[in-house]
Amino acid sequence: PSAFSLKLTTSKHEGPLTFNSTGDRVYFSRNNIENGKTVKAEDGEVKMQLLSASKTDGDWGNVEELPFNNDNYSVVHPTISVDNDVLIYASDMPGGYGGYDLYQSNKVGNSWTFPQNLGPDINSEGHDVFPFLHADGMLYFSSDRSGGKGGLDLYYSLKLDGQTWIEPVNMGEKFN
């Protein structure tokens, strides 16, 4: 095994990632660091942030923090739509329904909109994390919500009218 990219790899934690449809932009989770040192939140913990990088001349660079990161909460586990205009991710930012909720930001020009909580149709009192948005619009994610098999069960949901998510369906015992 070898490092995905030495230019993106630090001595800190890099987590889940997703690529845009052309494979020349990556979005990924990383510990909150500044000048190579971790930044602690008010609660004393090091939170996670989302970053992006672009591929130029066969190598990765131009690492940028996404605008909705915050030193006092984590923003993690990105997935992007095939049109590269919708980013869904998990966060424990204040105002959610549980520990971690799923949020969405839309690309407008070269900027991302303010995070929108996917709401109580998707999010629960538990941790809703590790989203994956399939090309057909199906959203898959893990949750430790009540009524599951235990741990982080796999669920799926779909937007029916472009705005309302169907109630998440537990993928059952073959997966959970």
Side-chain angles (χ1 to χ4, degrees):
S2 61
F4 166 70
S5 169
L6 294 177
K7 289 185 178 179
L8 300 183
T9 303
T10 67
S11 63
K12 310 305 178 199
H13 175 73
E14 279 92 22
L17 57 81
T18 189
F19 295 93
N20 68 357
S21 61
T22 56
D24 60 358
R25 180 157 296 277
V26 62
Y27 299 89
F28 61 100
S29 304
R30 177 188 284 166
N31 279 126
N32 185 4
I33 59 174
E34 188 172 311
N35 299 322
K37 297 187 180 199
T38 54
V39 176
K40 290 187 178 181
E42 291 173 2
D43 65 6
E45 292 183 16
V46 177
K47 305 299 182 178
M48 299 291 291
Q49 297 188 326
L50 287 184
L51 297 97
S52 70
S54 58
K55 192 173 191 179
T56 307
D57 298 327
D59 205 358
W60 294 97
N62 304 317
V63 177
E64 301 172 341
E65 288 186 24
L66 296 183
F68 34 80
N69 290 327
N70 187 292
D71 291 347
N72 290 308
Y73 55 78
S74 289
V75 185
V76 294
H77 311 154
T79 184
I80 194 159
S81 62
V82 294
D83 63 6
N84 304 314
D85 288 340
V86 176
L87 191 68
I88 296 177
Y89 46 90
S91 179
D92 61 349
M93 68 179 68
Y97 295 92
Y100 276 82
D101 283 2
L102 298 183
Y103 289 83
Q104 172 179 321
S105 291
N106 299 319
K107 185 116 185 202
V108 179
N110 291 324
S111 300
W112 291 100
T113 62
F114 187 80
Q116 294 177 301
N117 189 297
L118 295 188
D121 294 332
I122 293 293
N123 292 305
S124 69
E125 74 286 350
H127 295 297
D128 301 296
V129 291
F130 299 108
F132 173 73
L133 188 58
H134 191 273
D136 65 5
M138 190 73 73
L139 176 65
Y140 297 89
F141 63 98
S142 294
S143 180
D144 63 359
R145 65 185 60 216
S146 61
K149 305 291 181 192
L152 289 173
D153 285 13
L154 294 174
Y155 288 83
Y156 67 88
S157 183
L158 184 66
K159 275 188 178 179
L160 290 180
D161 57 8
Q163 293 188 358
T164 305
W165 292 96
I166 63 168
E167 182 177 343
V169 176
N170 187 301
M171 292 182 65
E173 295 206 13
K174 290 185 179 181
F175 293 95
N176 298 311

